[in-house]
Each structure stands twice: as C-alpha cells, then as structure tokens.
Amino acid sequence: YGAHQAILDAFEFLSDVDAMIIDIRSADEVPISLVQQMVSYFIPADTLIGNIKFNSQLSTLLSLKTQGFDNFKNKFPLYILNSSFVAGEWEFLGYTLKHFDKAVIVGEDTMGFDYFTKSVKISDKLSLKMPYALISHPISNETWGNDGVVSDFYAKGDDIFEKAYSLALIQLSEH
C-alpha cells in the first residue's frame, strides 16, 4: 500500500465534495509522479502540464487519466494553502493548478525552487540533496524560480485556513 494508492483513496473519499482545500504547508519531499497524480484530478487527461529539462534534454509531463473525477475538472472551488517553506515538487502543484485557472493560492509565497531534488544517502547520518531537473510551464515556459508561487490571497499562520474557508463559502454561495 503506497502513497499513490493513499492519494487515490483520499480523492475517492472526497469525490462528492462541493469544494476542496489542500494544505501543503508542511508537505515533505515526494516524487514528481505523486504530484502529477494530484494535478491530474483537476486537469483533463493527456494535457501537457510541464516541460522538464534534464541534462540539456527536454521532456514533457502529461496529466494522467483519472476516471470518475470529472466534477473536479470543471469550475470546482479549489484552494491550495502555501507557506514560505513549500518547495520543489509541491510548488509545481500550486503553480500548475493556479496557471491552469484551477486553484486559488492562499497563504505565503513559496521558496521559489523550480527544480527537483533527489536525496543521496552519504552515511547513516548524512544525506546530500542534489538538484536534477528544472520544470517550467508548458505554454509560457516560465517557472516560479524567481518569486516562488505567489499567493492570490496573502495570509499567515492560522489565518490561512480561515481565509481559504471563507473564500470557499463565498464561491459556493454564488452558485
């Protein structure tokens, strides 16, 4: 039972909600495939969601097929909670969903690490984290490297969730 199955189980459990708040403020390092899976619940299948540059070669990242989650792909109220400590793959989640007009970012601007890293264990007590790939938006070719993922609504601490919750209630009352 792995992380991909846990994400699928969580999304199946939430499949009939009217809005969603995803809190990534304390999210730990994950493989890009896990974030790709999460993005895919909100973006139509086979959509180009990122350009990955690795060793001077460019490859593309597409959204995956996620049957049964069509309600998330429409005008679904989605809020991503950020902190200034969010980095790398999790920044890709917020940046991508924001730039596909699928999510509202609430909280602080992120760190601005537009590259993916891999941890290499040197010894029992020492690991080295090395950048291995740069990712950019598939249309603009821009990254979040200079400014981080900029929040649509800035908030700090406990106010972050409260702000997202109030925004969701307002959006739901308008429909």
Side-chain angles (χ1 to χ4, degrees), residues 1 27 74 86 98 108 122 134 141 144 152 160 168 173-174:
Y1 190 84
N74 298 319
V86 172
K98 176 180 179 169
E108 301 172 291
I122 305 291
L134 179 69
N141 214 29
W144 57 89
D152 297 305
I160 296 173
S173 71
E174 293 173 351

Side-chain angles (χ1 to χ4, degrees), residues 23-82:
D23 188 348
I24 59 174
R25 292 176 290 175
S26 299
D28 205 358
E29 186 176 332
V30 295
I32 186 59
S33 62
L34 191 75
V35 177
Q36 176 189 23
Q37 176 187 0
M38 288 184 68
V39 167
S40 298
Y41 290 109
F42 303 99
I43 305 287
D46 298 320
T47 301
L48 179 60
I49 58 174
N51 292 320
I52 300 174
K53 188 174 183 181
F54 177 75
N55 282 342
S56 300
Q57 293 194 346
L58 192 64
S59 63
T60 57
L61 190 63
L62 300 175
S63 58
L64 307 170
K65 290 179 177 67
T66 55
Q67 291 185 318
F69 299 96
D70 292 340
N71 57 320
F72 294 159
K73 291 176 174 59
N74 298 319
K75 293 223 177 260
F76 181 79
L78 175 63
Y79 301 87
I80 307 290
L81 306 186
N82 269 347

Side-chain angles (χ1 to χ4, degrees), residues 4 35-36 53 62 65 82 88-89 94 98 100 109 116 123 135 139 142 153-154:
H4 288 279
V35 177
Q36 176 189 23
K53 188 174 183 181
L62 300 175
K65 290 179 177 67
N82 269 347
E89 289 82 355
K98 176 180 179 169
F100 275 99
D109 299 347
F116 299 143
S123 70
I135 190 158
I139 298 167
E142 293 179 358
F153 294 92
Y154 184 83

Side-chain angles (χ1 to χ4, degrees), residues 43 74-76 95-104:
I43 305 287
N74 298 319
K75 293 223 177 260
F76 181 79
Y95 186 85
T96 301
L97 292 174
K98 176 180 179 169
H99 288 279
F100 275 99
D101 293 322
K102 296 293 182 177
V104 174

